Amino acid sequence: MTLHQVFSVTHTLSGALCLIAFAYKWGDLKRDPGNLALRALCSARLFNGLAYLMLAPATYVRIGEFTGSANLGTLLGQGLIVLAALSSHIMVLSWFCSPEKARQRLPYVALFYLVALTAMVALFFSASLPGSHPIDFEVHFTNQGASDAYLVVFLVTYGLNLANTALHTWPSSLAIDRPWLSQSLRLSALGSVFVLGFILGKLVGIVGRWSGTTALDSAATLWSPLMASAGSLVLVTGYTLPEWGAAASSWLGRYRSYRTLYPLWFALCRAVPGIALFEPRSPRRSLWLREPETRLYRMVIEIRDGQRVLRPYVCDRCEERLRRELQERGYGANTDPLMEAYVLSLAMERKKAGLEPSDYTAGSGSRQSGTEFTDELAWLERVAEVYACLPSGRLPSPAPCSCTAPVPSPG
């Protein structure tokens, strides 16, 4: 596989990823069209995506054939990169400066990039650039005054933007205590450093040609584009991480909660069939149903309903005897999760054995005092974890108590 084919694939994939990120953030922009930072972020992803598509060798050659200018793809792609750099600079300006300061600096920032872009256009068309060179343009056309100046303007402009992004995002990532935003800023800084490797590789190849050697060409023709693609992937991940990262974390949290609560919930559904709104099924299948938050909420409610139904099977006297025996067996003073799990297990065994519940209805049988759903969920997860690991056959068995009795014989 030739470099022409490799970079046709990698550049196209990088461009597609940037455009996907643009489409992903476009939904946020439609909800908040006045957000300057969001508009700049969307513009940067759009321009970068189009730039990669222009610089993909297969597209590059077609552009040259269509326009009659063999290397016009270089100007189009790198010009779009400069516009992406302008958008990125505006985004960073909006993130880290007050609105008043950002408005004051914005005209000067825009002027800097637009002057650079104008200079690139003028130098490109004043240079002699025969033959199509989608991969080795920078090293092939060195030692020609206009093309050298063109490359210097492009690389310096782009490099300053990347350095500006890295210098602002990395220190800020260390000072922010919002995990997903902090990781996003770190990845933005890391991606900028990777793309700076693209600048460095191009410069190494160019300086090598200035020194009269082609031995360093691979830095510009191979490693530089690979660093750009890797950096683009990291940047796309960083700029979109706060949204999909939080969503993925929430999904994983629901999955863990389902997996943790399922053994206890399933046992209670079998012991008290009427508590389940939906037929018990594996947590994997439940996770993919509609409204998973509602499903998890229902699971907590149904566990609590099961506790209330089973409460008459174990009274406070039974619990106190169990607590003393557990402490004597070395389970420690704080046995609340174990007590909760064991009381439920004992109540289910008594119900299954055919014992009749007493009229004892004081309390709900729970030792958890929090009223927030997140607190209740965390508590029930602890109970479910203990329940799933109950040392069968080695727990204390309380003496018979008047809270339950055999079902009377008929007649």
Side-chain angles (χ1 to χ4, degrees), residues 93-369:
L93 202 62
S94 302
W95 280 352
F96 299 106
C97 294
S98 65
E100 296 78 12
K101 197 169 186 179
R103 281 195 297 270
Q104 290 173 0
R105 291 186 179 182
L106 187 56
Y108 301 101
V109 170
L111 180 63
F112 170 78
Y113 286 96
L114 293 178
V115 167
L117 184 57
T118 302
M120 286 170 57
V121 172
L123 291 167
F124 181 88
F125 285 110
S126 65
S128 176
L129 306 171
S132 180
H133 293 274
I135 296 173
D136 64 345
F137 177 91
E138 291 80 8
V139 292
H140 184 82
F141 292 113
T142 53
N143 293 312
Q144 300 181 30
S147 61
D148 284 355
Y150 167 87
L151 292 172
V152 168
V153 171
F154 168 65
L155 294 175
V156 169
T157 302
Y158 193 26
L160 288 174
N161 170 256
L162 294 168
N164 177 68
T165 301
L167 290 173
H168 278 86
T169 52
W170 182 261
S172 300
S173 72
L174 304 177
I176 292 176
D177 57 4
R178 293 169 57 187
W180 290 113
L181 181 56
S182 177
Q183 289 297 329
S184 172
L185 292 173
R186 285 194 184 98
L187 288 174
S188 299
L190 182 62
S192 298
V193 171
F194 268 102
V195 184
L196 279 170
F198 159 82
I199 304 289
L200 180 62
K202 295 294 184 185
L203 288 174
V204 168
I206 292 170
V207 171
R209 284 297 185 101
W210 285 346
S211 303
T213 179
T214 61
L216 302 177
D217 281 6
S218 61
T221 59
L222 177 60
W223 298 112
S224 180
L226 290 177
M227 292 293 285
S229 294
S232 177
L233 176 60
V234 175
L235 284 170
V236 165
T237 303
Y239 287 142
T240 58
L241 182 64
E243 290 82 8
W244 66 260
S249 177
S250 177
W251 185 90
L252 288 173
R254 291 196 301 268
Y255 179 75
R256 285 194 296 266
S257 295
Y258 270 111
R259 296 283 294 179
T260 302
L261 293 179
Y262 184 79
L264 176 60
W265 175 72
F266 185 74
L268 287 171
C269 288
R270 292 181 63 186
V272 190
I275 64 173
L277 180 63
F278 302 103
E279 178 187 356
R281 61 185 72 204
S282 75
R284 291 188 182 91
R285 290 184 62 193
S286 296
L287 192 63
W288 299 106
L289 295 177
R290 291 181 180 179
E291 300 179 346
E293 293 86 358
T294 303
R295 297 279 307 179
L296 187 60
Y297 185 73
R298 282 296 316 171
M299 183 178 276
V300 170
I301 290 175
E302 288 160 7
I303 290 174
R304 288 304 197 198
D305 288 344
Q307 287 177 311
R308 280 189 288 272
V309 172
L310 294 171
R311 181 62 174 127
Y313 287 88
V314 182
C315 69
D316 283 345
R317 291 191 301 275
C318 290
E319 289 191 28
E320 186 56 35
R321 286 198 296 270
L322 286 171
R323 187 182 294 277
R324 285 199 301 270
E325 291 183 49
L326 288 171
Q327 291 175 1
E328 289 171 3
R329 290 179 178 230
Y331 286 100
N334 185 18
T335 58
D336 283 350
L338 179 59
M339 279 293 300
E340 188 84 28
Y342 186 61
V343 164
L344 286 172
S345 179
L346 178 62
M348 285 187 274
E349 288 178 8
R350 287 178 171 180
K351 186 175 186 295
K352 185 178 179 180
L355 297 179
E356 192 173 62
S358 68
D359 294 332
Y360 184 79
T361 58
S364 64
S366 172
R367 273 143 289 279
Q368 191 261 340
S369 58

Side-chain angles (χ1 to χ4, degrees), residues 21-89:
F22 162 73
Y24 183 76
K25 299 300 293 184
W26 179 255
D28 294 336
L29 183 59
K30 287 196 296 185
R31 290 188 290 271
D32 187 12
N35 189 321
L36 179 60
L38 198 51
R39 276 188 287 168
L41 174 57
C42 287
S43 298
R45 294 304 94 208
L46 175 61
F47 290 139
N48 265 325
L50 294 175
Y52 272 109
L53 296 180
M54 294 286 183
L55 293 170
T59 309
Y60 187 105
V61 172
R62 298 293 182 275
I63 293 171
E65 293 172 348
F66 180 75
T67 62
S69 178
N71 295 290
L72 185 61
T74 292
L75 178 62
L76 294 177
Q78 293 179 350
L80 286 166
I81 288 174
V82 170
L83 292 177
L86 168 59
S87 300
S88 177
H89 202 131

